[in-house]
Amino acid sequence: MFCQEAVVIDPAQLSDPAVRAFVTAVNAGDPTAFRDVLTPDVTMSDDGSDRDVTEWTEREIFSAGGHMAVDSEVDGGRSLVVDFRNDTWGEMRTAWRFDVTPDGHVRRFETGQA
């Protein structure tokens, strides 16, 4: 049986600058840089349910060592397939979609199982 290893996209090569900054901040464990890429009224959903962004990101990303290994991007870099891992859940294949303002801030992101 032939097994092909997935090629991970370097976050520095992501097409959309706001999404690039989002992924870079997550992978660096940098909540300040993460907040800087978001609008003040950012919203998000996880598996179709809206969540509190601050609480969710602290629990799922920053306190749990969250990391995004990007497998693919479409829609100008605003839709990603990611192998996301954290210390709580391990690794899972996820889809991420981003709504970005004209001035380059994420106003909404959605994630869920891919």
Side-chain angles (χ1 to χ4, degrees), residues 28-106:
D30 187 341
T32 301
F34 182 80
R35 284 189 300 274
D36 287 347
V37 76
L38 306 176
T39 62
D41 60 345
V42 65
T43 61
M44 60 105 24
S45 73
D46 180 12
D47 282 328
S49 297
D50 279 2
R51 307 286 185 194
D52 177 272
V53 174
T54 302
E55 190 265 354
W56 187 90
T57 56
E58 179 58 31
R59 183 185 70 245
E60 299 292 334
I61 297 174
F62 298 110
S63 291
H67 186 269
M68 301 173 79
V70 180
D71 291 330
S72 65
E73 67 170 352
V74 295
D75 190 27
R78 294 187 179 176
S79 293
L80 308 177
V81 173
V82 171
D83 288 328
F84 180 79
R85 74 170 190 273
N86 68 24
D87 298 338
T88 304
W89 303 107
E91 187 169 313
M92 64 194 90
R93 191 160 196 74
T94 56
W96 294 73
R97 285 173 279 305
F98 299 88
D99 180 17
V100 178
T101 63
D103 70 344
H105 290 86
V106 173

